[in-house]
Each structure stands twice: as structure tokens, then as C-alpha cells.
Amino acid sequence: MGFFFTAPRYMNISNTPNTSSTITGFILLGFPCFREGQILLFVLFSVVYLLTLMGNGSIICAVRWDQRLHTPMYILLANFSFLEIWYVTSTVPNMLANFLSDTKVISFSGCFLQFYFFFSLGSTECFFLAIMAFDRYLAICQPLHYPTIMTGRLCTNLVVSCWVFGFLWFLIPIIIISQMSFCGSRIIDHFLCDPGPLLTLTCKKVPVVETIFSTLSPLPLVIPFLFIMGSYALVLRAVLKVPSAAGKRKAFSTCGSHLAVVSLFYGSVLVMYGSPTSEHEAGTQKIVTLFYSVVTPLLNPVIYSLRNKDMKNALQKFLEI
């Protein structure tokens, strides 16, 4: 991995001014390497970004145009795909621009906006995964009451609540950190404006701010995760009571895709934030963050389309149009 994490010769970091009057933003190092490597990474992530947009966009269109998919399960999936498009868009376009940039500068406002949208969308994704688990719990554990409980109105309210809570959660922290002053080189050894590196660049350590971040940041991860685990514990208990093997396979198949997505997202996020940041090398932080912020949104449409026959048929019809 040394090829990716050696400082590029064309980028004069050591001569970067350190005074507040001459710096107009932060410097995102990204994945430093020689010019040829930057171009190769630009092409690679451009392809990944386009495939992510196409995959998640196809699911949205398939759900929109196939009447058979106008059910809460697929409506939630379409909204989740819409979220994934914006989630990957909060980081990749700026990362692509940095690959071709000699300065790799991001403005203060651009950095704070990226921080806010990236973590707000990440929180929204956690809430969506939780209500999708709730939907599967109702479908399997309360099949007779499912149509009367998971109505269109409840589904809409849950979707709106995910977006509202997701974007309200980090509003106060970003307002606080945007008012702070920053000193030194203002170099962030990452491809996005992560709160950890940002707080290390502040001129004066503010324990209150660090406490707010350390308290608020884990909650959108932990609370939905516990809810998801509780939902699937009840689902597992209900499935084990099903007498036939075919019935058990059918029940598990309806949850398989969602469980795979939850495992991918939470597995990488917990590796990143489950232990102190200081324990991770900068390169490891980038790779893990890259996985849950870029790779996971790319794989989600594949997981849902391959493991779901109705979605697979709807996508085939959509692509034939």
C-alpha cells in the first residue's frame, strides 16, 4: 500500500502557508501518489460512482414503474436507494476533483457542508436500516396484522422521520465547529472532512465540543443497531417455530438482502468508530471509510437485485424498455 500513501512530488505541502490570512480552506490529502496514480484513481472512482448512480437509480425506477412493487418493503428500498445516491455524492465528486488538483484545497464552507451532509446522510441510513428491519419484523412475526399496521401513511411518516432526524442530529455540532478557529497547516490526511482530524486542527482545545461529538456521534449508530438486532432476534424466534423447511427458507430469504446490507455497513463502521481514532493508521482510516461510504452503496443494488426475484424481474423489465 506504500504506492498510495507516499506524498506526491507535485504537491508542495511543506511550503503551504500556515497563517490564517493566507489559507482559504483545508487541504485534503486524499490518496497521495504520483500523477499517473492520481489519474488511475480518478478513472477507477469515476466508474464506481457512475455504476452506483446507475444501480441505485435503476432500483428507484423499477419500483416507480412496476405496480407490483408498490408495497412498503419496496417503497422503503427505493427511498434507501435514493439516499445512497446522495450519500456517495457527498464525498466522491470532491474526491474526483482532488485527484486532478495540484493544491487539493477545499474551502472552509465546503468542508463544513461536506461534514454535515456526509454524517447526516450516514445517520439517515442507520435510521432507514432500522425501519426496514421493523418492516421485516412485522411481515414475518405479525403477517395477519401487517396490512393494517404498515399502511401507506405509516410508511410515509417513517420515511419522513428518518430524513428529519438524520439531518437534525448533527446540526448543532456543525454549527459549533464552524465557529471555531483553526491553526497550523490545516492539512487533513483524509479524503473527506472527518470530525477527528478537524478537531485536532483547532487553535484551542474545547472539551465541551469534544464531549458533544463523542456523545452525539455514536447514538445514530448504536440505537438503530440495537433496534435492528432486537427485531431480528424476534424474527429468528418466529422462524424457528415454522414447522416446514420450505417455510423457514422463504422467511429467511425475505430478510437475507437486508441482513447482508446491514452487515456490510455496520461491520465497516464499527471497525472505524468502535475504537479510538488514535488506534488507526491514517491509511486504515481511509480504506475503512472508503468501504462504507463508496463500496457499500455500490454493492447494495447488486445484493437486493440478486437475492430478490420480484426486484430482479422488475429490473429486467425496466432495462428492456
Side-chain angles (χ1 to χ4, degrees), residues 156-176:
T156 301
N157 289 338
L158 289 174
V159 169
V160 172
S161 297
C162 286
W163 287 100
V164 171
F165 282 115
F167 275 81
L168 285 179
W169 203 274
F170 282 95
L171 190 58
I172 294 177
I174 192 59
I175 291 175
I176 294 174

Side-chain angles (χ1 to χ4, degrees), residues 1-317:
M1 300 303 292
F3 172 78
F4 290 109
F5 301 119
T6 54
R9 294 179 180 177
Y10 60 82
M11 184 176 173
N12 192 6
I13 296 175
S14 60
N15 294 331
T16 303
N18 291 334
T19 61
S20 301
S21 59
T22 55
I23 291 183
T24 58
F26 298 102
I27 297 174
L28 290 177
L29 288 186
F31 299 91
C33 59
F34 296 105
R35 188 66 178 177
E36 294 78 7
Q38 296 285 307
I39 295 175
L40 179 62
L41 288 173
F42 173 83
V43 173
L44 173 63
F45 284 105
S46 294
V47 173
V48 169
Y49 182 54
L50 290 175
L51 289 175
T52 302
L53 297 183
M54 291 171 59
N56 286 284
S58 297
I59 286 182
I60 295 171
C61 294
V63 174
R64 172 66 180 83
W65 284 319
D66 194 326
Q67 294 291 331
R68 294 172 301 176
L69 300 185
H70 289 185
T71 62
M73 174 183 173
Y74 293 107
I75 291 173
L76 291 174
L77 177 58
N79 279 275
F80 185 74
S81 295
F82 179 74
L83 166 67
E84 292 287 64
I85 289 175
W86 287 107
Y87 187 50
V88 73
T89 301
S90 67
T91 56
V92 173
N94 183 75
M95 183 168 58
L96 293 176
N98 274 0
F99 285 140
L100 303 181
S101 171
D102 289 341
T103 60
K104 302 186 182 299
V105 173
I106 182 172
S107 66
F108 289 127
S109 58
C111 185
F112 298 137
L113 282 173
Q114 184 190 62
F115 163 81
Y116 174 65
F117 279 102
F118 178 72
F119 283 92
S120 294
L121 289 164
S123 299
T124 306
E125 178 159 349
C126 294
F127 294 138
F128 261 104
L129 290 173
I131 64 171
M132 292 168 79
F134 174 66
D135 176 71
R136 292 300 82 206
Y137 157 75
L138 288 178
I140 294 175
C141 299
Q142 305 287 337
L144 298 179
H145 301 288
Y146 179 80
T148 58
I149 297 176
M150 185 56 77
T151 60
R153 182 172 182 175
L154 177 60
C155 185
T156 301
N157 289 338
L158 289 174
V159 169
V160 172
S161 297
C162 286
W163 287 100
V164 171
F165 282 115
F167 275 81
L168 285 179
W169 203 274
F170 282 95
L171 190 58
I172 294 177
I174 192 59
I175 291 175
I176 294 174
I177 197 173
S178 64
Q179 303 302 314
M180 301 176 72
S181 56
F182 297 86
C183 301
S185 63
R186 295 183 180 171
I187 295 174
I188 299 176
D189 192 7
H190 214 305
F191 63 86
L192 56 82
C193 290
D194 193 73
L198 274 177
L199 290 175
T200 62
L201 298 177
T202 55
C203 298
K204 183 180 180 181
K205 300 300 179 184
V206 184
V208 175
V209 175
E210 295 181 0
T211 301
I212 292 175
F213 272 107
S214 62
T215 303
L216 291 180
S217 297
L219 292 180
L221 288 171
V222 175
I223 295 175
F225 181 72
L226 293 177
F227 186 85
I228 292 169
M229 293 298 100
S231 298
Y232 276 110
L234 296 175
V235 167
L236 180 61
R237 187 179 69 174
V239 170
L240 292 178
K241 293 180 180 179
V242 176
S244 66
K248 291 180 180 179
R249 283 195 300 269
K250 183 178 180 181
F252 277 124
S253 67
T254 63
C255 304
S257 299
H258 183 254
L259 275 174
V261 171
V262 169
S263 300
L264 283 173
F265 180 77
Y266 269 100
S268 54
V269 170
L270 291 176
V271 167
M272 186 70 236
Y273 297 104
S275 56
T277 306
S278 59
E279 293 184 5
H280 301 289
E281 295 288 340
T284 304
Q285 292 182 32
K286 296 176 189 178
I287 295 299
V288 177
T289 305
L290 193 69
F291 187 83
Y292 71 77
S293 65
V294 178
V295 177
T296 300
L298 172 66
L299 295 178
N300 288 350
V302 178
I303 294 172
Y304 278 110
S305 60
L306 289 180
R307 295 185 61 89
N308 190 295
K309 184 171 66 175
D310 293 335
M311 178 57 65
K312 189 186 301 184
N313 293 335
L315 285 172
Q316 288 175 349
K317 290 184 179 180

